[in-house]
Amino acid sequence: MVSTQARPRERVAAADGAALAEEMNAHGCALTGPLLTAKECRSISALYDEAALFRSTIDMERLRFGRGQYRYFDRPFPALVEELRQALYPRLLPIARDWAAKLGKPAPWPDTLNEWLEMCHQAGQTKSTQILLRYREGDWNALHRDLYGDLVFPLQVVVGLDEPGADYSGGEFLLVEQRPRAQSRGTVTLLPQGHGLIFTTRDRPVASARGWSAAPVRHGVSTVRAGLRHTLGLVFHDAA
């Protein structure tokens, strides 16, 4: 049971960082504990119909991204969204830096999210990327990656806002990893209400005979069979 007294940042701080890192290294994704209460989830999903809060609305079928709709929040973000993003970034940073070291890549990410976002803005990536997604019966999301520009943070988080099995069926989160010189591997996750799923934005290190190789990863959502499914997407770089 998620504490109704603790703030989301306190729930993030209580997560077992070592266990999350172990899951990320093994699978490229990891479920957190509860980050939001059911009431907080409902308050965020209810924002979807407040058009003034968003900078853009995407019709996935029109763009051949799948079927359904999502919206990019405009600034300033709702307090719960901003609190979660600020709290999660430093917890994900050690994993990001470890992966960069394994792959021999630069790790340009500073200690705070605000510093990193300023770097994005100086590079021309100024558009907000926090997403509220709504899926109805028959909706789905094609496999993709949320890159948006040259500056990319390698991890992101999706938070389930509705209760699977009660509010909707189907709609599993999909992760497909292209393994070096092997068939692709898929991972399916059903998002508990209020829980977050950390996953890789672009690729992840996998052990190989030569040390470490980068395995490209894409994500999507399976077809919603019934009901209404909302999720909150937290991305840690802005868009060009």
Side-chain angles (χ1 to χ4, degrees):
M1 180 70 68
V2 58
S3 170
T4 58
Q5 303 300 318
R7 294 293 307 170
R9 61 178 175 271
E10 296 169 322
R11 299 173 201 140
V12 172
D16 186 336
L20 290 176
E22 184 176 352
E23 281 289 301
M24 291 298 298
N25 287 329
H27 305 294
C29 62
L31 269 174
T32 71
L35 303 178
L36 297 172
T37 65
K39 181 178 179 180
E40 289 167 341
C41 289
R42 289 192 294 271
S43 73
I44 294 175
S45 60
L47 298 176
Y48 197 91
D49 294 318
E50 298 187 27
L53 296 176
F54 302 93
R55 70 168 179 84
S56 179
T57 300
I58 305 299
D59 182 328
M60 288 191 281
E61 189 168 22
R62 184 175 66 82
L63 297 173
R64 304 187 72 178
F65 292 168
R67 198 180 100 175
Q69 193 180 80
Y70 58 89
R71 287 179 153 175
Y72 288 103
F73 278 106
D74 203 353
R75 296 185 181 88
F77 302 128
L80 285 172
V81 175
E82 181 63 19
E83 183 175 345
L84 273 180
R85 196 170 67 135
Q86 291 285 347
L88 284 163
Y89 176 84
R91 301 303 307 275
L92 303 181
L93 192 56
I95 302 173
R97 289 172 171 168
D98 174 59
W99 283 12
K102 287 175 177 174
L103 294 173
K105 294 182 177 180
W109 314 291
D111 291 339
T112 70
L113 177 59
N114 289 342
E115 291 176 287
W116 168 238
L117 293 177
E118 180 58 30
M119 291 173 61
C120 290
H121 296 172
Q122 291 177 0
Q125 295 179 209
T126 59
K127 296 179 181 178
S128 64
T129 53
Q130 310 318 298
I131 312 170
L132 190 56
L133 304 100
R134 171 180 283 177
Y135 295 83
R136 300 182 185 277
E137 182 177 341
D139 290 350
W140 57 282
N141 194 352
L143 295 172
H144 65 285
R145 296 186 288 181
D146 298 318
L147 301 180
Y148 299 121
D150 292 333
L151 296 184
V152 175
F153 191 75
L155 305 172
Q156 61 194 87
V157 179
V158 60
V159 182
L161 300 178
D162 294 304
E163 185 179 352
D167 297 316
Y168 68 94
S169 62
E172 297 87 357
F173 185 87
L174 308 174
L175 205 68
V176 176
E177 174 185 307
Q178 182 181 328
R179 298 184 297 162
R181 295 175 296 281
Q183 296 292 330
S184 297
R185 181 177 73 168
T187 300
V188 175
T189 304
L190 196 60
L191 292 176
Q193 185 180 44
H195 292 235
L197 181 72
I198 306 167
F199 62 99
T200 179
T201 298
R202 178 166 54 189
D203 50 35
R204 75 180 189 95
V206 294
S208 68
R210 301 176 183 177
W212 296 95
S213 298
V217 179
R218 296 181 295 163
H219 65 275
V221 175
S222 72
T223 302
V224 173
R225 301 301 181 92
L228 189 63
R229 177 189 186 272
H230 294 89
T231 55
L232 172 66
L234 300 172
V235 178
F236 300 92
H237 49 269
D238 283 345

